[in-house]
Amino acid sequence: MPIVGLNIGKKSFRAAELEEKKGKIILNNFGTYVNYKTPSAENFLNDVSGISTSLSEFFSETNFSTSSVILSIDETYVFMTVVEMPKMSGEELKSSIKYEAEQHIPFPINQVNISYQKLDEIISDKGKMPVQIVAARKNIIDKYIEIIKKAKLIPRAIEPETIALGRSLGDSPESPVGTMIVEMGFENSLMVVCYGGSVRFTRAVPIGGDLITKTIMQNLNLDYAQAEEYKKVYGLDEFQSEGKVANIISPIVDNLAVEIKRAILYFTNHNPSANIKKVVMSGGTALMPNLLSYIANKLDLEVVLANPLDGIEISPKLEKRKQELLDNAASYSSSIGLALRGIKNA
């Protein structure tokens, strides 16, 4: 049964449709919808009618074969943490989790939905078990579901984008290598540490593609569309445009590199047996020219571009669009991770 992973961003939708056939995972369709009208990036969920109308148009235009979706919730409305708890049975954990959540979650406990799962004890203290706790605000979940249903779609599940990123780009329990995923979004960059196949740490910093575009726009006296094009074409390539664009962008990327270092240091200090060996850059902004080598030099680590298509076959029906997909695969990491949840839990 096909399933669509749907990422509802503040200025765009991205979606990918996956299906399992004869033990193989097939990507049947994908698409992006940009520039739908919202009241503001901060309050974008308030326009339920506008978003649902745009979403309905997007699904109709892209011609997905199913209306069943798994969607992500914006990290602003989610809290995720991993806590070390004494080893206990499943029933004991179930009765203890509310108290444990109250100690860590910064929202009133009656205003959130809580989910949890035990993680592999790869980097835990002896005698302890790591438990991932996720809390999402109920009123926000209700708003997402209202949007989906108004668009005549069927919500099968909803989860934080960070979990989806870990699923599509992280390491595995069999080969734990310690991966820092950096998803460069519209407003924020999400940092996700995946270790042993599970998300162990997340952080969001207010450095995204919009900030880079606006900085180019202001410095070169361009309109937004022109600045966006300069970002995509010239990026951090100092041999293009006499290095002007690279010089404008580099201080922003320097700040991002500092935040990545801080996040890695924080995680490894709290998990001394862990070792981060690789940084995976994801999201549309990660496609900027020379970004990977620039950040690799700053971090002195292996830095690679996200490839969420690893282990996934592309349907022959997409042959004419295959190159477009391959060129932009890094921007579909979240959507593919969401759809993989539906495949793996089918």
Side-chain angles (χ1 to χ4, degrees):
M1 176 181 170
I3 190 84
V4 173
L6 173 63
N7 181 246
I8 299 179
K10 292 184 175 178
K11 289 294 177 184
S12 66
F13 306 131
R14 276 198 174 89
E17 180 185 314
L18 296 183
E19 185 175 14
E20 187 170 17
K21 292 179 179 177
K22 298 179 181 179
K24 295 179 179 178
I25 300 173
I26 313 295
L27 189 143
N28 289 333
N29 206 347
F30 68 98
T32 298
Y33 186 103
V34 295
N35 294 331
Y36 64 81
K37 295 178 181 178
T38 55
S40 72
E42 292 76 22
N43 303 307
F44 78 110
L45 284 178
N46 288 344
D47 187 16
V48 170
S49 178
I51 297 174
S52 60
T53 298
S54 296
L55 195 52
S56 184
E57 289 174 2
F58 170 49
F59 265 65
S60 177
E61 290 170 4
T62 311
N63 199 27
F64 291 110
S65 70
T66 179
S67 55
S68 294
V69 301
I70 295 178
L71 64 151
S72 61
I73 182 171
D74 189 281
E75 289 301 310
T76 311
Y77 310 114
V78 179
F79 179 80
M80 196 285 286
T81 189
V82 175
V83 298
E84 298 275 328
M85 297 180 68
K87 289 189 177 180
M88 60 182 75
S89 68
E91 281 301 312
E92 290 172 324
L93 177 59
K94 186 176 180 181
S95 61
S96 304
I97 203 69
K98 183 179 177 183
Y99 171 79
E100 194 67 33
E102 285 177 331
Q103 310 309 305
H104 295 91
I105 292 169
F107 308 129
I109 207 75
N110 63 337
Q111 294 179 14
V112 296
N113 283 351
I114 296 171
S115 61
Y116 64 93
Q117 65 169 336
K118 289 194 285 186
L119 305 180
D120 289 337
E121 299 166 25
I122 299 173
I123 52 175
S124 294
D125 292 337
K126 289 183 179 178
K128 299 277 189 175
M129 67 177 188
V131 179
Q132 180 195 78
I133 301 175
V134 178
R137 287 165 54 184
K138 290 178 181 177
N139 63 322
I140 300 299
I141 291 176
D142 290 345
K143 197 161 279 192
Y144 273 99
I145 292 173
E146 183 184 359
I147 288 168
I148 294 299
K149 288 184 173 179
K150 278 199 169 189
K152 302 292 191 292
L153 302 175
I154 304 167
R156 296 298 185 188
I158 184 168
E159 71 176 8
E161 186 177 0
T162 50
I163 304 296
L165 288 167
R167 188 180 297 114
S168 64
L169 302 176
D171 62 359
S172 65
E174 299 77 27
S175 304
V177 296
T179 305
M180 165 68 82
I181 301 161
V182 181
E183 168 82 6
M184 297 185 73
F186 178 75
E187 276 192 333
N188 299 318
S189 286
L190 299 178
M191 300 177 192
V192 183
V193 173
C194 189
Y195 209 102
S198 298
V199 171
R200 310 273 174 165
F201 168 87
T202 67
R203 176 175 287 170
V205 295
I207 301 171
D210 183 55
L211 173 63
I212 294 173
T213 302
K214 285 179 177 174
T215 305
I216 296 170
M217 180 178 160
Q218 290 162 4
N219 278 269
L220 296 180
N221 196 26
L222 304 172
D223 64 29
Y224 193 90
Q226 288 174 313
E228 183 77 7
E229 192 65 18
Y230 273 45
K231 177 180 74 177
K232 292 177 181 177
V233 174
Y234 301 134
L236 285 157
D237 188 341
E238 57 190 29
F239 297 105
Q240 295 286 341
S241 186
E242 300 176 346
K244 290 178 184 176
V245 178
N247 288 336
I248 291 166
I249 293 174
S250 57
I252 300 172
V253 180
D254 288 346
N255 288 338
L256 179 61
V258 168
E259 294 296 339
I260 294 171
K261 281 183 181 177
R262 284 178 179 164
I264 291 173
L265 186 62
Y266 179 89
F267 178 76
T268 51
N269 280 346
H270 285 75
N271 300 277
S273 61
N275 186 15
I276 303 299
K277 298 178 181 178
K278 183 169 68 172
V279 175
V280 178
M281 301 299 298
S282 179
T285 307
L287 298 169
M288 279 195 310
N290 210 37
L291 175 72
L292 301 183
S293 59
Y294 188 92
I295 289 188
N297 287 334
K298 294 290 178 181
L299 300 180
D300 196 25
L301 282 171
E302 179 188 7
V303 178
V304 300
L305 185 64
N307 178 23
L309 296 171
D310 187 30
I312 296 174
E313 290 192 11
I314 300 170
S315 170
K317 293 182 294 184
L318 295 176
E319 188 59 39
K320 290 182 180 179
R321 302 175 62 206
K322 186 174 181 179
Q323 196 57 51
E324 175 196 347
L325 174 63
L326 295 176
D327 290 344
N328 295 283
S331 62
Y332 288 94
S333 300
S334 300
S335 303
I336 289 172
L338 292 164
L340 282 171
R341 170 176 170 153
I343 296 294
K344 292 179 178 179
N345 293 342

